[in-house]
Amino acid sequence: MAGKSKDDIILTDPKAPHKPKGLLDALSEIQQYFIVEKEGSPVPEDFFTIKGEMSFFGVGFKSAFLSGLISVLFTPIALGVVDKYIPIFGSYEPNLFDRFMAFSIALGFTVGYGAFIARLRKYYIGRITRTAIRWLLGGIYTGAAIKAVFAFVLFHIIYFLVLTPKNVTMVLIKNGSYLKPETKVQIFEFLMNFKPIFLSSAYFVAISTFLLIAIPSIAIWRGGRKLAAIQENEQRWS
């Protein structure tokens, strides 16, 4: 067994469960793993337990799924603005800037989230660090995929089963006694014209989810190759 150097960084209590409470905690732990492995300090093979793996997976899943629901909520609104069904800044005639802002609402959060996770590209080296990153990404990708399927099914149900002429008419008749007849007609026409937005939103969410998966995957893969090349050169010339 190799001796311990006084400069070694030892991870205390390797049997202890590692339970990051949130995404920032998980990223912080990954940074610590990276520092330890980069310094060449000994890390027990059984340090990263099954409980630790599932903790990172759970954090990634919860973060991606719950935050993804925000983008699901705002997507029909944003696309409604682009198609001039919903006013933005008090106007039904959005200019180029208004449409950019609407797309930013729908897509900006997802792209920003993916870019934030892509920061892990700086740490994708070392057995323990890579394992932690893979389990975190596994949770994020699973949560994002389930969110996309949920949104896809939900928006199709709204389009095909909820916003039918018969259903909308029945609701307006039963619950619109306080509305003027012309107001009921306006509401009916608005919903019938607006409902295709839900189909567009279903595919928009699918595309944004693909970007959420692709951005960090490509960045981390390239970052890992770059780190491996740097480490190889350091070992060659040390």
Side-chain angles (χ1 to χ4, degrees):
M1 180 176 68
K4 294 182 180 179
S5 168
K6 65 179 181 179
D7 295 326
D8 285 344
I9 302 174
I10 307 298
L11 293 170
T12 59
D13 194 5
K15 299 293 185 180
H18 296 269
K19 283 190 172 184
K21 296 180 181 180
L23 186 60
L24 289 179
D25 286 342
L27 296 179
S28 296
E29 282 207 32
I30 288 172
Q31 287 177 311
Q32 293 176 2
Y33 300 160
F34 170 77
I35 292 172
V36 171
E37 294 194 289
K38 182 181 179 182
E39 295 296 326
S41 300
V43 180
E45 288 190 11
D46 59 349
F47 168 76
F48 208 78
T49 62
I50 295 177
K51 184 180 290 186
E53 294 172 347
M54 295 309 299
S55 295
F56 275 85
F57 181 90
V59 166
F61 179 88
K62 182 178 178 181
S63 175
F65 183 77
L66 296 181
S67 61
L69 292 180
I70 298 175
S71 64
V72 171
L73 175 65
F74 283 108
T75 295
I77 298 175
L79 296 186
V81 169
V82 173
D83 284 351
K84 303 179 182 180
Y85 291 114
I86 298 176
I88 184 171
F89 305 131
S91 174
Y92 281 94
E93 296 294 332
N95 55 33
L96 183 61
F97 174 77
D98 296 337
R99 294 186 179 188
F100 172 77
M101 291 298 297
F103 272 113
S104 296
I105 293 174
L107 192 60
F109 181 85
T110 300
V111 173
Y113 186 88
F116 180 73
I117 299 301
R119 289 169 54 89
L120 292 172
R121 69 186 183 278
K122 298 186 293 185
Y123 313 112
Y124 195 67
I125 197 169
R127 180 171 53 84
I128 298 297
T129 308
R130 287 200 305 266
T131 299
I133 290 176
R134 286 168 182 167
W135 279 96
L136 179 65
L137 291 179
I140 290 174
Y141 295 164
T142 302
I146 292 177
K147 175 264 301 182
V149 172
F150 169 78
F152 196 86
V153 172
L154 175 64
F155 289 150
H156 277 76
I157 288 176
I158 292 174
Y159 179 84
F160 287 107
L161 300 179
V162 177
L163 293 181
T164 63
K166 180 179 178 181
N167 288 342
V168 174
T169 300
M170 289 179 60
V171 169
L172 289 174
I173 291 175
K174 291 182 179 180
N175 302 286
S177 57
Y178 56 91
L179 297 175
K180 297 179 180 180
E182 55 268 26
T183 302
K184 293 181 182 180
V185 173
Q186 291 175 351
I187 294 175
F188 178 86
E189 291 179 348
F190 171 80
L191 291 177
M192 292 299 100
N193 291 327
F194 184 82
K195 77 173 193 173
I197 294 294
F198 288 102
L199 284 185
S200 301
S201 297
Y203 293 97
F204 191 91
V205 170
I207 293 172
S208 64
T209 301
F210 171 78
L211 292 176
L212 172 60
I213 294 174
I215 291 173
S217 294
I218 295 173
I220 292 171
W221 174 72
R222 293 185 62 183
R225 293 188 63 183
K226 182 177 180 180
L227 287 172
I230 292 174
Q231 187 180 62
E232 183 179 347
N233 288 333
E234 289 177 349
Q235 292 174 351
R236 182 182 304 171
W237 297 106
S238 61

